[in-house]
Amino acid sequence: MTSRRRILQLIGGGAVLAATAVSGGCSTPGGVSQAARTPWRMAGRYDEFRRRALSYALLAPNPHNRQPWLVRLEGADALSLYVDLNRRLPATDPFDRQITIGCGAFLELLSIAAAQDGYAAEITAFPEGADLKSLDARPVARVRFAPSAARPDALFAHVLMRRSNKEIYTTRDPPAEALAGLAAGGQARGVLSQVSSDPVLTAKLRDLTWRAHLKEVMTPAAMQESVDLMRIGAEEVAANPDGIALEGAAIEAGRMLGLVSRRTLADPGSQAFRQGLDLYAKMAASARAFGWLSTQDETRLDQINTGRAYLRVNLTATALGLAIHPWSQALQEYPQMAELYQETHALIGGGRRVEMLYRIGYATPIPPTPRRGLDAHLV
């Protein structure tokens, strides 16, 4: 029987992934729910072409893994996309900007998957209009599928290996040609895609992203929003395959001892909270380069296009063997982040609206993020 002291050594050694509570979640080897990854194995295994494309689209990156997509199939060749209004992030995303970006990523992956079957996805964003202050019951997009000579996208080959890698990155620097390819991957629909490995700028962005993380975890409402979305242990992850997955043998041991819980992860005085900060500081320091996406204006369509661009950046990174991880806390619009928001835009904005910021490097492979199945998204 494993002793309490041995379990504490495991946890104290950094195995507790508390930092993922506010960075998007990751998993450790062992004690990982396979059931929660079933949608990754089911992708493409549907007879009807729209369901087949949707089974890939639901694997798209999205904020806090909320997977806020609701789809109504219409007729034989169309669908409408809505946002599940119960899956927003009001504390850290008060205007639903990040949720809208996640919808854009969903639509781009839907389009790429449909092209594999020879269908062009004709996407009309916000056909009934939109409010910049908050999303509502109106559709985010209507999509009509046109049988055509749609050319398959080379990025489709990397869909099932796409990850948001939240590990500590190695000290290997990405070569200039890889960074140039990554920047080019997101250049579309008015979105400006930029990357930099300049030592001075990279050091400033490491510091900025760390301070933004610290601001978020020390803002009670923002931190609690993340804590409420934690799924602690494989059983919880399987029951709720969304939000922030905390899995692995040490997590299970810490949970049984009461050392890893929503209470301890929200308590700045707890060991779990302190270890989370330490781990996140190492993650921040490990970034070898940064990339960001910006738009000229601030419209819902700009946000959709940002999501579409980021999906392509993520797939391009996979193709290039790079690890990337969104670090956009400094871009959030709640009042406590206002000073860092301004600092970020002064540093890299160039007069544009920075929509996403992400770190770049190399890291060990990780499992896919839990996903809800296709039926959960169909109205």
Side-chain angles (χ1 to χ4, degrees), residues 165-224:
N165 196 309
K166 305 164 186 73
E167 298 297 306
I168 297 170
Y169 292 174
T170 71
T171 56
R172 178 185 173 192
D173 289 321
E177 57 270 24
L179 293 177
L182 191 62
Q187 212 81 267
R189 300 182 180 88
V191 177
L192 178 60
S193 174
Q194 297 172 273
V195 301
S196 177
S197 60
D198 174 76
V200 174
L201 180 57
T202 298
K204 289 181 179 179
L205 288 170
R206 286 183 191 130
D207 176 65
L208 179 61
T209 52
W210 164 245
R211 286 185 287 123
H213 170 80
L214 198 59
K215 175 67 70 176
E216 183 165 294
V217 301
M218 293 302 182
T219 301
M223 181 60 180
Q224 192 62 50

Side-chain angles (χ1 to χ4, degrees), residues 8-262:
L8 288 171
Q9 287 173 342
L10 285 171
I11 295 170
V16 172
L17 302 181
T20 62
V22 285
S23 64
C26 65
S27 302
T28 56
V32 172
S33 170
Q34 294 304 311
R37 277 81 181 176
T38 298
W40 292 85
R41 299 187 291 273
M42 288 296 295
R45 298 187 180 186
Y46 293 84
D47 293 332
E48 202 264 342
F49 76 92
R50 289 173 300 179
R51 285 179 168 81
R52 199 156 51 243
L54 287 166
S55 71
Y56 287 107
L58 63 84
L59 307 178
N62 63 102
H64 266 24
N65 197 27
R66 293 303 283 140
Q67 305 166 52
W69 313 297
L70 290 175
V71 174
R72 186 187 302 280
L73 298 177
E74 298 168 344
D77 65 351
L79 61 81
S80 288
L81 173 66
Y82 300 83
V83 163
D84 184 338
L85 298 176
N86 295 316
R87 290 181 169 271
R88 292 177 292 175
L89 299 164
T92 55
D93 188 27
F95 305 120
D96 300 327
R97 182 184 61 83
Q98 295 176 91
I99 289 291
T100 306
I101 289 172
C103 288
F106 179 95
L107 289 166
E108 183 66 15
L109 191 44
L110 179 74
S111 177
I112 290 172
Q116 286 297 116
D117 279 341
Y119 289 88
E122 299 172 354
I123 298 170
T124 303
F126 296 99
E128 298 177 17
D131 188 336
L132 263 178
K133 292 183 178 179
S134 177
L135 293 175
D136 51 38
R138 288 175 288 182
V140 170
R142 287 212 170 98
V143 184
R144 189 178 76 84
F145 297 92
S148 69
R151 295 175 58 186
D153 194 314
L155 290 177
F156 179 80
H158 307 288
V159 168
L160 295 181
M161 292 305 296
R162 184 208 64 77
R163 305 285 188 268
S164 296
N165 196 309
K166 305 164 186 73
E167 298 297 306
I168 297 170
Y169 292 174
T170 71
T171 56
R172 178 185 173 192
D173 289 321
E177 57 270 24
L179 293 177
L182 191 62
Q187 212 81 267
R189 300 182 180 88
V191 177
L192 178 60
S193 174
Q194 297 172 273
V195 301
S196 177
S197 60
D198 174 76
V200 174
L201 180 57
T202 298
K204 289 181 179 179
L205 288 170
R206 286 183 191 130
D207 176 65
L208 179 61
T209 52
W210 164 245
R211 286 185 287 123
H213 170 80
L214 198 59
K215 175 67 70 176
E216 183 165 294
V217 301
M218 293 302 182
T219 301
M223 181 60 180
Q224 192 62 50
E225 186 169 76
S226 293
V227 169
D228 290 343
L229 293 175
M230 290 181 206
R231 315 304 182 209
I232 302 173
E235 185 175 340
E236 279 194 14
V237 172
N240 294 284
D242 66 347
I244 299 160
L246 302 179
E247 298 172 286
I251 289 290
E252 294 290 352
R255 181 184 61 81
M256 288 188 292
L257 286 172
L259 299 173
V260 181
S261 67
R262 291 175 184 82

